[in-house]
Amino acid sequence: MTTNTPDTANDNKWIGKRTIRPDGADKVTGRAAYAADTTMPGMIWGKVLRSPHPHARIKSIDTSKAEVHPGVKAVMTAKDIVNFPIEKSVMLGIQDMRWMCRNVMAREKALFAGHPVAAVAATTEKIAAEACKLIVVEYEVLPFVIDVEEAMKPEAPILHDFIRFKDKPSNIAGTLEHRLGDIGEGFAKADIVIERSFRTQPVHQGYIEPHACLVSVSDGKATVWSSSQGQFMVRAMCAYLTGLPQNDIRAIPAEIGGGFGGKTIIYLEPLALILAKKSGRPVKMTMSRAEVFHASGPTSGSYSTVKLGATRDGKLVAAQGTFCLQAGALPGSPIRGAAGCAFAPYDIPNVHSFGYDVVSNRSKVAAYRAPGAPIGAYAVECVMDEVAEALKMDPLDFRLKNAAKQGTKAAHGPVYPRIGFVETIEEARKHAHYTTPLPKAGKGMLYGRGVASGFWFNAGGESSAQVNINEDGTVVVITGHPDIGGSRAATANITAELLGIDYKKVSVLIGDTSVIGFSNLTGGSRVTYASAMVVTQSTERVITQLRERAAKIWKIDPDAVVWENGEARPAGDNAGKFEPLSLGQIAAQASATGGPIGAGQQLNTMGAEGGFATHVCDVEVDPDLGIVRVLRYTAVQDVGRAIHPSYVEGQIQGGAAQGIGWALSEEYIFNKDGKLDNPSFLDYRMPVSSDLPMLDSVILEIPNPKHPQGVRGVGEVPLVPPLAAISNAVYDALGRRFYSLPMSPPKVLATMDMAAE
Amino acid sequence: MDIQYVAPRTLDEAVRAFAAAAGAGRILAGGTDLLVQMRNGVVAPGTIVDIKKIGELTSIEETKDGGFRVGAAVSGAVLREHAKLSKVWPGVVEATNLIGSTQVQGRATPGGNLCNGSPAGDSVPAMVAAGAIVTIQGPNGRREMPVEKVPKGPGRLNLEPGEIVVSFTLPPRGKGSSDAYLRMIPRTEMDIAVVGCGVSLTMDGGTCTAARVGLGAVAPTVLLVEEAAKALIGSKLDDAALAKAAAACSAACRPIDDKRGTIAYRTKVAGVLLKRTTLIAAERAGGK
């Protein structure tokens, strides 16, 4: 499976080892407690009434019949949520509370089919659903627009009167621009210039666990159990939207059934909190799969144009990109990821990258694994393939010739430190996958190979940790981020390594907002990176204490004590002759030597350097049915240091699998009334396991010089190259380029037939 | 609203309970459609009549003339484990076993698949190609009907109130006969047919002497495509004959554009699948 097990694993006892995941047994036996598994005495059920219209002014809402319906305990509308006026932006991370307050419940207008307009809490789910039907909403139905290109046209229905672009009402809510050099001069030097336009469909994160929460309010203090990528985010957003101070909200993270960015914002929690406050009863809310599809964030659909210029000897001299991304109903599409990451893998002297944030009548987008970056990379990496072909160069050689390296100035700002992009290309080029010939066309099947590369920023940010030595010498580590990618196992590996003790003696827990300091959410491929830093510093402080305690027992200077292999030892013969003291022995004497042993650290972590990957993909195309199957897939990635290689591979495979779905089969299908027609996993076609070959991951370790273990973020860059790698492979098989995703069977067949005519 | 559940031991009791429930009754065989529809709020039955406790509906037996009688509530998994049936009617068995996942195949039945009334049901085109005769019992007694006559339109059947599908009778097979079923789905499993094609044929010295073709998901009901069969019969299944039969299939299509496929796509793929299915059936029948 892994063709390249990190060498450094051998230098360590635990870091780099495939330790048993601490959450594994609970998950396979069904004991793991997800948000929907939480119940309380006296609990009642909340349900959301959603707009049937994609765009409508809400003239009035009459909840009187629902309120007196037997079994109903509380009814709420947008009136009950703190209003953030349009005039003033209030930011929480990348989220603007003006949009969040209007996303969790429609205020002036319903902006997409499925937009919440009211919510009911009742003694049973059924009564709550019945009561929703008793709420009378008077709508003024307005013309709607779904598609990004349509929404940008001057005659398009306008979603928000307050959005203006170039002094006119517009659906263009924002722009972002990166410039480097002078593209005019750059293209003038080019021997080959290729410009193409591309379309992608919005795709959902596809987490298996739908959104769910349970909220109890007692004596004005709220406790929130929910499935999210950040309990502190849940607390802060609930505080903003309900007006409670943060100390009156305790947010408890449940085990999470997937997020992929989609759970970095909230939907149900503030509604349940308000209903709980009104009713005096704990309120549980869960979304159905259809609600997840209708109303929770996918990532943007897009329309992009990319132009590349190269000299005859294969050097890129200019690049221009325009990336128009659907934000959904409210501003905030990931244009930074699209425009910023698109050209980041390459050393190009002249770059102009421009992003448009465009609103339309569909659910507000949420983060999805390297938000925006796959969209940018799809366009750029497909044009790279065409330029390489025009130059008669191997596509990997072309990338290698232009690869960014230490010292390269990127258009989005930084000058790169030591990065491992070149190594990913070199590794892909010599990999057995790339050197093995494709199967020969036969039995009506055609075969093709494609490559693509990708970049993701990665993130650091705020993290807190506490490392406590128990009385029996075992260790408990508490961090503040939900574990969706293996952070508990990675943290245990690091702690065991530093302390020199058995991995099994370390338990890692995720603290709720009342027991651990602020920790930013699980996103941006930041958690193993950032928690490793705070856990390392905490553990180093613990080791200092352990040396001090041993010194006290031996009555020598702490500087004369070293910590080795899980034991305190005299630093040398001059320090005196003492039998080593184990962690257990020191812990047993902790009370006598100064009290409990433990330490915490809180940091705003810096130095998370970007991640690079290069993917190789082989496809088989059935030209008569238009079916594309991925036959072989190899993802090469520089991960800095793989703390837990199995999890790293899992992240790489998962990203590639999601990319295959995005490229070949996933799409939102809207009916003529502007309502989503395929809100289920049956017709929203994510790949199933039998659709995929074993996805081979090659881990490269070029350590991040700014991190104690050399870690770079891992989880997001695997979704950046696949769209183009697959698209380029389909071209190689069919001799025909596709400029729009997904390359679904009807589309492939229609394009083939067009070519034949 | 309360739901009444009955699980009678005899067909007569089942017919009585079903007839008594009138429009509010639903038959439960494997439940892989019914329970999903109930959860999604598509149907809200007052009475559920479980037919899995009735011997005649849950057994497979060989008929005196060498054919088979397959109970309507036999699961796909049981069908597959019947060695002789799988050998004689491989297309029918493989079609039924394309429905859902392994877990679903332990429940899903050909009777349920037919009575769900979906034009995309996988077992139906194979049954149509096989020339299966359906036995139906109702308040007015027992009657028989060719399988292709049962569906009336999406979700609608040519059954009288209170009538229950009891079994499928597959005719005896002569030497050189076999069948096959292929469907097009965008994924490799866990999906619904965009087009399904069943072919049953008899080969004699390289010549096709008998053939039936069933097409699914290309019209409001599963189609028996007699023109396609005519193009195959008497031929050596050469390219010209296959092309003619494929064209007949495409011509028979009256599909819709929907989230699962376009009109153009379904029409073309019907012909492609006809060719491929025919060659598999011919291979099984002893070759061209």
Side-chain angles (χ1 to χ4, degrees):
Chain A
M1 190 167 78
T2 302
T3 52
N4 187 4
T5 302
D7 295 332
T8 50
N10 301 326
D11 306 337
N12 292 308
K13 203 153 184 243
W14 300 109
I15 290 175
K17 290 288 160 26
R18 298 166 188 267
T19 48
I20 302 287
R21 55 191 288 175
D23 52 327
D26 276 355
K27 282 180 176 162
V28 296
T29 57
R31 277 196 307 260
Y34 295 90
D37 295 324
T38 316
T39 56
M40 274 187 92
M43 183 183 90
I44 59 174
W45 293 84
K47 266 278 185 251
V48 177
L49 175 68
R50 298 177 183 278
S51 168
H53 307 294
H55 195 194
R57 196 174 306 285
I58 298 171
K59 295 173 79 177
S60 66
I61 303 177
D62 180 358
T63 60
S64 54
K65 279 189 194 143
E67 279 167 42
V68 298
H69 189 62
V72 171
K73 301 294 179 189
V75 180
M76 66 164 295
T77 64
K79 286 200 311 280
D80 298 296
I81 295 171
V82 175
N83 184 16
F84 289 80
I86 298 299
E87 294 71 37
K88 187 168 173 287
S89 170
V90 176
M91 298 303 290
L92 178 70
I94 59 167
Q95 300 299 337
D96 189 325
M97 296 314 295
R98 292 177 298 171
W99 316 140
M100 285 309 302
C101 83
R102 284 165 177 78
N103 194 46
V104 298
M105 196 150 280
R107 197 157 274 279
E108 303 84 4
K109 278 176 166 186
L111 295 164
F112 58 95
H115 200 167
V117 291
V120 175
T123 49
T124 68
E125 281 186 275
K126 206 171 161 191
I127 294 173
E130 285 164 13
C132 282
K133 289 184 190 153
L134 299 174
I135 296 172
V136 181
V137 186
E138 198 186 342
Y139 293 104
E140 179 194 340
V141 175
L142 301 169
F144 65 88
V145 61
I146 302 285
D147 182 74
V148 62
E149 288 166 82
E150 295 296 319
M152 290 177 82
K153 287 181 178 165
E155 67 275 19
I158 297 295
L159 270 74
H160 303 290
D161 300 333
F162 54 84
I163 294 178
R164 298 183 75 80
F165 185 72
K166 293 186 177 167
D167 284 337
K168 290 201 181 93
S170 172
N171 292 320
I172 299 172
T175 59
L176 178 141
E177 189 173 18
H178 294 301
R179 270 183 194 280
L180 185 68
D182 181 327
I183 54 164
E185 283 177 21
F187 282 116
K189 287 181 196 148
D191 299 310
I192 285 168
V193 175
I194 293 179
E195 179 175 356
R196 300 282 182 252
S197 292
F198 299 85
R199 291 175 179 82
T200 66
Q201 291 294 312
V203 288
H204 198 269
Q205 295 83 349
Y207 32 82
I208 296 300
E209 179 202 23
H211 299 268
C213 69
L214 170 66
V215 182
S216 164
V217 181
S218 153
D219 195 21
K221 290 180 190 299
T223 308
V224 182
W225 290 265
S226 75
S227 171
S228 82
Q229 289 176 239
Q231 61 272 38
F232 291 91
M233 173 278 297
V234 170
R235 180 178 73 173
M237 284 204 182
C238 284
Y240 272 127
L241 295 172
T242 65
L244 287 179
Q246 290 192 356
N247 67 313
D248 281 348
I249 302 174
R250 181 178 179 192
I252 301 177
E255 199 64 62
I256 178 169
F260 311 104
K263 292 177 183 168
T264 56
I265 59 172
I266 55 174
Y267 298 96
L268 300 174
E269 289 89 338
L271 313 186
L273 200 163
I274 290 163
L275 290 169
K277 205 169 153 188
K278 282 189 154 192
S279 65
R281 304 271 290 268
V283 174
K284 181 157 163 173
M285 297 183 82
T286 60
M287 281 196 198
S288 66
R289 180 61 57 189
E291 285 179 295
V292 170
F293 275 115
H294 283 300
S296 73
T299 192
S300 306
S302 68
Y303 175 71
S304 306
T305 301
V306 162
K307 181 176 169 185
L308 292 178
T311 54
R312 205 162 285 115
D313 64 350
K315 187 77 193 78
L316 286 166
V317 287
Q320 183 177 20
T322 306
F323 306 95
C324 308
L325 269 63
Q326 270 162 345
L330 293 152
S333 67
I335 46 177
R336 181 173 160 265
C341 296
F343 303 108
Y346 304 108
D347 182 3
I348 313 173
N350 307 293
V351 177
H352 183 214
S353 191
F354 202 93
Y356 287 97
D357 183 25
V358 184
V359 293
S360 69
N361 295 109
R362 51 195 307 162
S363 57
K364 173 178 163 49
V365 299
Y368 179 25
R369 210 167 194 160
I375 292 168
Y378 167 55
V380 170
E381 295 292 314
C382 285
V383 181
M384 286 290 287
D385 205 57
E386 289 200 50
V387 175
E389 186 183 33
L391 291 166
K392 297 186 171 60
M393 277 181 82
D394 172 274
L396 287 178
D397 290 346
F398 179 50
R399 283 171 174 79
L400 195 57
K401 181 150 191 157
N402 292 285
K405 44 184 91 64
Q406 188 166 358
T408 299
K409 165 86 176 155
H412 69 281
V415 174
Y416 292 126
R418 178 75 171 94
I419 53 172
F421 181 43
V422 164
E423 286 84 347
T424 69
I425 306 170
E426 287 171 342
E427 187 67 27
R429 204 170 50 166
K430 69 181 186 210
H431 192 276
H433 181 169
Y434 202 64
T435 57
T436 304
L438 280 168
K440 288 210 165 41
K443 290 192 173 171
M445 295 295 178
L446 301 170
Y447 298 90
R449 175 169 295 159
V451 300
S453 296
F455 166 84
W456 174 245
F457 305 118
N458 291 329
E462 304 89 336
S463 281
S464 303
Q466 174 72 30
V467 177
N468 289 330
I469 306 299
N470 301 330
E471 303 93 290
D472 63 355
T474 58
V475 183
V476 169
V477 184
I478 304 170
T479 65
H481 340 82
D483 174 5
I484 50 175
S487 57
R488 278 171 292 193
T491 298
N493 279 6
I494 290 168
T495 310
E497 185 75 47
L498 295 175
L499 284 172
I501 59 171
D502 192 323
Y503 167 87
K504 292 197 196 76
K505 290 193 171 171
V506 183
S507 292
V508 182
L509 307 177
I510 298 152
D512 68 59
T513 54
S514 66
V515 305
I516 187 73
F518 176 70
S519 298
N520 211 325
L521 47 75
T522 301
S525 300
R526 61 173 295 273
V527 166
T528 297
Y529 176 83
S531 49
M533 289 176 101
V534 287
V535 166
T536 297
Q537 293 192 15
S538 302
T539 308
E540 284 169 350
R541 286 184 186 181
V542 165
I543 290 170
T544 301
Q545 290 177 32
L546 292 168
R547 287 172 42 232
E548 286 167 0
R549 300 305 173 92
K552 205 162 181 179
I553 292 166
W554 291 331
K555 300 190 174 61
I556 62 173
D557 192 282
D559 287 342
V561 180
V562 293
W563 188 261
E564 276 176 6
N565 285 327
E567 293 176 330
R569 291 175 184 174
D573 289 345
N574 291 342
K577 279 212 180 304
F578 302 101
E579 281 300 305
L581 284 169
S582 70
L583 182 59
Q585 287 169 317
I586 297 173
Q589 300 179 60
S591 294
T593 57
I597 301 169
Q601 179 59 293
Q602 298 181 282
L603 288 175
N604 184 12
T605 63
M606 303 291 180
E609 296 301 335
F612 292 87
T614 299
H615 292 194
V616 183
C617 170
D618 292 355
V619 297
E620 175 188 77
V621 185
D622 181 335
D624 292 323
L625 296 181
I627 295 175
V628 178
R629 300 256 183 256
V630 175
L631 281 191
R632 186 170 183 182
Y633 201 98
T634 305
V636 186
Q637 186 172 330
D638 167 25
V639 305
R641 168 76 68 94
I643 303 294
H644 194 296
S646 299
Y647 270 115
V648 169
E649 287 159 5
Q651 289 288 328
I652 293 172
Q653 292 170 324
Q658 288 183 314
I660 291 168
W662 195 337
L664 296 179
S665 57
E666 294 179 35
E667 63 182 316
Y668 279 56
I669 300 164
F670 283 86
N671 66 20
K672 61 179 174 27
D673 301 320
K675 200 170 176 186
L676 183 63
D677 207 18
N678 59 331
S680 77
F681 278 142
L682 176 60
D683 289 309
Y684 179 85
R685 290 192 165 90
M686 289 175 69
V688 296
S689 62
S690 58
D691 293 335
L692 304 174
M694 174 52 76
L695 302 164
D696 199 359
S697 47
V698 181
I699 293 172
L700 300 183
E701 296 191 304
I702 293 106
N704 177 356
K706 298 177 182 173
H707 190 271
Q709 283 83 27
V711 168
R712 297 177 200 271
V714 165
E716 287 172 292
V717 74
L719 182 50
V720 183
L723 314 188
I726 297 160
S727 198
N728 292 336
V730 171
Y731 165 71
D732 191 40
L734 297 178
R736 178 148 186 99
R737 292 201 183 264
F738 287 75
Y739 296 103
S740 126
L741 301 181
M743 293 177 285
S744 60
K747 199 187 274 179
V748 170
L749 213 55
T751 308
M752 297 284 292
D753 286 349
M754 248 160 42
E757 273 162 20
Chain B
M1 193 173 61
D2 289 338
I3 302 170
Q4 196 195 356
Y5 166 85
V6 292
R9 301 273 166 176
T10 68
L11 191 51
D12 287 341
E13 283 176 77
V15 167
R16 269 198 301 279
F18 190 40
R26 297 286 292 205
I27 298 292
L28 174 71
T32 57
D33 285 313
L34 179 62
L35 298 187
V36 175
Q37 289 165 3
M38 286 170 66
R39 264 184 175 266
N40 289 344
V42 177
V43 296
T47 300
I48 292 173
V49 182
D50 186 343
I51 55 169
K52 288 194 297 297
K53 305 261 191 302
I54 305 166
E56 189 182 357
L57 277 84
T58 52
S59 57
I60 302 170
E61 61 186 39
E62 284 184 58
T63 55
K64 281 181 196 138
D65 59 3
F68 290 89
R69 199 198 52 78
V70 177
V74 172
S75 74
V78 169
L79 218 57
R80 187 177 52 205
E81 295 205 342
H82 197 290
K84 192 163 179 194
L85 182 72
S86 297
K87 192 157 174 262
V88 179
W89 289 105
V92 169
V93 173
E94 74 190 347
T96 311
N97 278 282
L98 282 173
I99 301 165
S101 60
T102 303
Q103 291 92 325
V104 167
Q105 284 152 19
R107 305 292 296 177
T109 67
N113 202 217
L114 177 65
C115 294
N116 188 44
S118 164
D122 285 304
S123 68
V124 185
M127 288 284 192
V128 168
I133 301 295
V134 176
T135 299
I136 296 156
Q137 186 148 324
N140 298 322
R142 197 170 263 237
R143 63 184 179 122
E144 290 185 339
M145 202 193 282
V147 64
E148 61 271 19
K149 301 285 186 203
V150 176
K152 192 182 204 170
R156 292 180 303 127
L157 305 174
N158 287 311
L159 295 185
E160 299 301 323
E163 280 190 325
I164 297 173
V165 170
V166 177
S167 62
F168 298 83
T169 303
L170 298 168
R173 290 299 250 174
K175 193 169 168 285
S177 299
S178 197
D179 68 336
Y181 175 79
L182 281 181
R183 65 174 181 179
M184 190 282 156
I185 53 171
R187 283 185 288 223
T188 43
E189 57 176 288
M190 307 297 289
D191 219 327
I192 290 181
V194 176
V195 179
C197 179
V199 174
S200 172
L201 46 67
T202 303
M203 301 298 293
D204 185 0
T207 300
C208 176
T209 58
R212 282 174 65 91
V213 175
L215 265 188
V218 295
T221 62
V222 172
L223 303 175
L224 172 68
V225 190
E226 288 172 332
E227 287 304 312
K230 273 186 208 161
L232 298 175
I233 296 167
S235 82
K236 292 196 175 298
L237 304 184
D238 50 284
D239 289 350
L242 289 172
K244 201 174 164 195
C249 282
S250 294
C253 293
R254 285 172 283 125
I256 52 169
D257 271 327
D258 72 0
K259 59 195 171 190
R260 294 185 184 137
T262 60
I263 291 171
Y265 184 77
R266 287 184 154 121
T267 306
K268 175 158 188 199
V269 166
V272 175
L273 289 190
L274 178 279
K275 292 183 192 172
R276 294 185 184 183
T277 316
T278 301
L279 292 176
I280 295 169
E283 174 81 30
R284 287 175 180 168
K288 287 213 271 183

